[in-house]
Amino acid sequence: MPPIISVKQLSKTYASGFHALKHIDLDIHQGEIFALLGPNGAGKTTLISIICGIVNPSEGTVLADGHDVVRDYRSARSKIGLVPQELTTDAFETVWNTVSFSRGLFGKSANPAHVEKVLKELSLWNKKDSRLMTLSGGMKRRVMIAKALSHEPQILFLDEPTAGVDVELRRDMWAMVRALRDTGVTIILTTHYIDEAEEMADRIGVINKGELILVENKAELMNKLGRKQLALQLQNPLQGIPAALSDYPLELSADGQQLVYTFDAQSEHTGIDALLRRLGEAGIDFKDLKTSQSSLEDIFVDLVRERA
Ligand SMILES: Nc1ncnc2c1ncn2[C@@H]1O[C@H](COP(=O)(O)OP(=O)(O)OP(=O)(O)O)[C@@H](O)[C@H]1O
Ligand SMILES: [Mg+2]
């Protein structure tokens, strides 16, 4: 199956001369949840805006469900729902009218049953006659999602969907995103919450300073870059790492109280048993030990720092 979104050699230079995107190549597959991670100003919103036809590319092409987003804008855009990072709502309009009107903008005939379903799924049904200015921030965000879903898009972009959203609504939104994916909708989201990407995404792309520096299956990413560490709390502090242990990748804390052993989480032989035996032979006693695994957050911070 061809990718539902195909980005080829995409670059963007804003009128100010700023290079916001540099030669981006990216394919998104139908039915996946793709998370785009990157620090502030990395180019996430720019990339999304180009795919959605809001910002013009300087170079390169984007196809959405086979339609060129520039030359065949209307067809491409009708496949796409966008929840923008900035909330823009018409303060005096009611929830029902806003969402119904949005559907009309895409040339779809009125479908009150669909609007009702969307509002109910987003727990907005009891607010359908409220004016937007009377809603809380989280409710406004849900209205933005309802608008994006009003024309039954196959592809949904969520730009920072859970920024400033409380924990409960965040969970609700995750559930909603999964339910949408289960109906075949392809989801692309940006987030600053790494745990959100870890929880939700099938694949992860990391963008930094306009360059897509990595695209990887989430599970493979964690496997490939994930490290495990064993920290031993020593009974008696050490001055240095004893010669008998010099062939192990060990680090001693500054106060000499803790030895940290880093090992490959994927390897069958972690070497822990041999290390502990060797410690015993060297007469080094420990009072506590714990293992930890690097999280997606550690991986992300390492990646972005490397390129700083
Ligand atoms: N209209 C514009 N004119 C000039 N520069 C712009 C414009 N829009 C964005 N930029 C610049 O392009 C870069 C990328 O911005 P973008 O909004 O895509 O980042 P982002 O990854 O979405 O960041 P954030 O995480 O803060 O939302 C930034 O340096 C920004 O200042
Ligand atoms: Mg942004």
Side-chain angles (χ1 to χ4, degrees):
M1 197 158 38
I4 188 130
I5 291 175
S6 172
V7 175
K8 290 220 167 15
Q9 285 298 301
L10 185 70
S11 295
K12 176 65 185 176
T13 306
Y14 280 109
S16 61
F18 185 82
H19 294 287
L21 293 178
K22 299 165 191 165
H23 309 291
I24 305 281
D25 284 310
L26 175 65
D27 283 344
I28 307 276
H29 312 300
Q30 164 147 27
E32 72 174 333
I33 299 181
F34 187 91
L36 197 55
L37 303 180
N40 286 134
K44 303 180 295 294
T45 299
T46 302
L47 177 57
I48 287 181
S49 302
I50 292 175
I51 299 174
C52 295
I54 295 165
V55 167
N56 274 322
S58 305
E59 283 170 48
T61 54
V62 180
L63 300 181
D65 200 20
H67 303 285
D68 187 294
V69 299
V70 179
R71 278 183 292 131
D72 201 2
Y73 169 75
R74 286 186 72 85
S75 307
R77 189 62 180 87
S78 71
K79 310 283 179 179
I80 296 174
L82 168 64
V83 182
Q85 184 169 12
E86 303 293 333
L87 299 180
T88 49
T89 50
D90 183 353
F92 295 97
E93 203 49 271
T94 66
V95 170
W96 176 270
N97 286 349
T98 296
V99 176
S100 306
F101 179 69
S102 216
R103 181 179 169 88
L105 285 181
F106 291 95
K108 293 242 170 172
S109 53
N111 184 345
H114 177 68
V115 174
E116 178 174 339
K117 178 170 152 270
V118 167
L119 292 183
K120 283 184 171 162
E121 276 167 5
L122 289 161
S123 308
L124 283 169
W125 186 241
N126 62 343
K127 295 283 178 188
K128 70 181 167 52
D129 299 317
S130 302
R131 288 180 173 197
L132 297 177
M133 62 191 187
T134 68
L135 301 182
S136 73
M139 288 173 191
K140 285 191 189 119
R141 198 162 278 281
R142 277 184 267 173
V143 173
M144 299 299 287
I145 298 174
K147 277 176 72 170
L149 294 175
S150 65
H151 62 288
E152 299 161 76
Q154 288 175 26
I155 308 162
L156 181 65
F157 284 89
L158 298 155
D159 197 355
E160 304 283 339
T162 57
V165 152
D166 72 23
V167 179
E168 200 181 337
L169 178 51
R170 230 173 131 202
R171 295 260 158 214
D172 288 353
M173 286 182 50
W174 291 355
M176 186 209 73
V177 166
R178 286 206 184 88
L180 273 171
R181 192 262 304 269
D182 292 343
T183 68
V185 175
T186 305
I187 316 246
I188 297 101
L189 58 94
T190 73
T191 181
H192 282 117
Y193 303 111
I194 312 274
D195 60 329
E196 185 158 87
E198 197 165 341
E199 166 96 24
M200 298 287 299
D202 301 311
R203 279 198 309 153
I204 288 176
V206 176
I207 187 166
N208 192 34
K209 297 183 179 164
E211 289 179 68
L212 194 59
I213 58 176
L214 173 143
V215 176
E216 189 82 73
N217 220 294
K218 181 183 63 189
E220 274 164 33
L221 179 66
M222 313 269 306
N223 276 348
K224 211 148 83 184
L225 299 179
R227 285 168 294 123
K228 274 195 165 181
Q229 290 193 321
L230 171 71
L232 296 157
Q233 224 43 55
L234 303 176
Q235 202 66 260
N236 304 302
L238 288 175
Q239 299 295 331
I241 294 171
L245 296 168
S246 60
D247 52 339
Y248 277 88
L250 289 172
E251 272 177 70
L252 186 64
S253 62
D255 62 4
Q257 303 269 14
Q258 180 173 274
L259 264 183
V260 176
Y261 171 58
T262 303
F263 56 96
D264 181 357
Q266 261 33 69
S267 158
E268 274 184 35
H269 303 287
T270 59
I272 290 177
D273 48 350
L275 172 68
L276 294 183
R277 245 191 334 269
R278 203 81 86 76
L279 283 169
E281 286 159 14
I284 299 170
D285 295 328
F286 52 90
K287 49 188 176 192
D288 191 18
L289 88 182
K290 61 171 185 278
T291 58
S292 58
Q293 179 159 22
S294 49
S295 64
L296 183 58
E297 178 147 8
D298 302 326
I299 295 170
F300 173 69
V301 169
D302 284 349
L303 270 172
V304 172
R305 195 191 292 126
E306 260 171 40
R307 316 263 171 158

